[in-house]
Amino acid sequence: MKKRIGDILIEMGFLGQDQLKMALMETQKTGVMLGDVLRRLDWVTEEDLQMAIAVQSGAQILDTDTVAVDQSLAVKIPIEVLNEHGMFPFALEDGALNVACSNPFDVIARDKLERLTGCRVKTFIARRSWIATAIDLYYKTAQNIDREIEAISPTSSWVVASEPALVKG
C-alpha cells in the first residue's frame, strides 16, 4: 500500500502530526484536497508538496529552469484540454509525450492525452504557476504567429492573373 501524502510530509519534516490532523479535518469539511489545504494554511510550500508527491508517485520533478520546450507540440493538443487538467506537454521522446503536471495521479487526464495524441504519456511534476505560464506563453505565441501569417498571406479574394496583360505602347 502506498504511503499517504500526509505521512510522507511528516517523515520529510515538512509537517507536524497536529497540523496533519487539523488539515485532514478541514478536508473532510470542505472536500478540498489535502495538499491544497496545507498550501492555503501556509504549512507547506509548493516545492515541499512536490517532493512528497514525487516520493509517493515515483514521478520526477521537472527542472523548469533548464527544460527545453518543443514548441511544435502547442498546435497538437487543444488548449482547453490542457487548462482543464493543468498539464503542459513539453517534449516528445521515444514515442512518449512528456507532460508537466501538478497531479501525476490524474489518470483521466493522462488517458485523454494518450487518446488525443496516440502517444504514451510520461508525467513530470511542476508548479501549477509554471504550467499556467507555459500554456499562456507557448499557446498564445503560436496563436499570434498564426494570426500574423494569415494577415500577410494572400487570401481567396485576391485574383491572380494566369497570363500577363498585354500593354500597347
Side-chain angles (χ1 to χ4, degrees):
M1 184 172 156
K2 283 189 179 182
K3 283 189 176 177
R4 297 178 307 181
I5 197 75
D7 295 332
I8 294 169
L9 287 164
I10 289 172
E11 286 176 9
M12 295 176 93
F14 296 138
L15 190 64
Q17 191 68 44
D18 290 340
Q19 290 172 312
L20 177 60
K21 285 179 186 173
M22 289 191 298
L24 287 171
M25 287 190 310
E26 181 70 15
T27 63
Q28 290 174 343
K29 281 193 275 186
T30 62
V32 175
M33 291 178 62
L34 178 61
D36 293 334
V37 169
L38 294 170
R39 291 272 303 118
R40 189 181 38 137
L41 293 170
D42 219 15
W43 288 346
V44 297
T45 66
E46 190 166 4
E47 288 76 18
D48 298 341
L49 197 54
Q50 285 179 339
M51 283 191 266
I53 291 170
V55 167
Q56 186 184 44
S57 69
Q60 295 177 28
I61 295 176
L62 182 64
D63 183 353
T64 55
D65 293 331
T66 62
V67 66
V69 175
D70 179 349
Q71 296 181 17
S72 71
L73 296 174
V75 296
K76 297 183 174 149
I77 302 165
I79 191 171
E80 298 79 20
V81 172
L82 301 178
N83 281 328
E84 176 185 353
H85 296 288
M87 300 180 105
F88 177 74
F90 62 89
L92 189 60
E93 286 181 357
D94 302 323
L97 182 65
N98 292 344
V99 177
C101 65
S102 60
N103 181 4
F105 298 108
D106 189 346
V107 293
I108 293 170
R110 194 171 41 221
D111 288 348
K112 186 182 280 188
L113 281 180
E114 286 177 352
R115 282 193 311 276
L116 279 171
T117 64
C119 297
R120 183 175 48 84
V121 171
K122 183 176 179 186
T123 55
F124 290 77
I125 301 169
R127 291 181 317 280
R128 289 178 183 168
S129 59
W130 184 88
I131 293 167
T133 300
I135 290 171
D136 279 351
L137 175 67
Y138 290 100
Y139 274 77
K140 293 212 166 108
T141 298
Q143 289 171 348
N144 288 339
I145 290 170
D146 287 347
R147 277 194 289 274
E148 288 177 21
I149 290 172
E150 286 175 15
I152 61 173
S153 295
T155 63
S156 59
S157 64
W158 289 18
V159 177
V160 178
S162 57
E163 294 181 29
L166 297 176
V167 180
K168 292 185 178 179

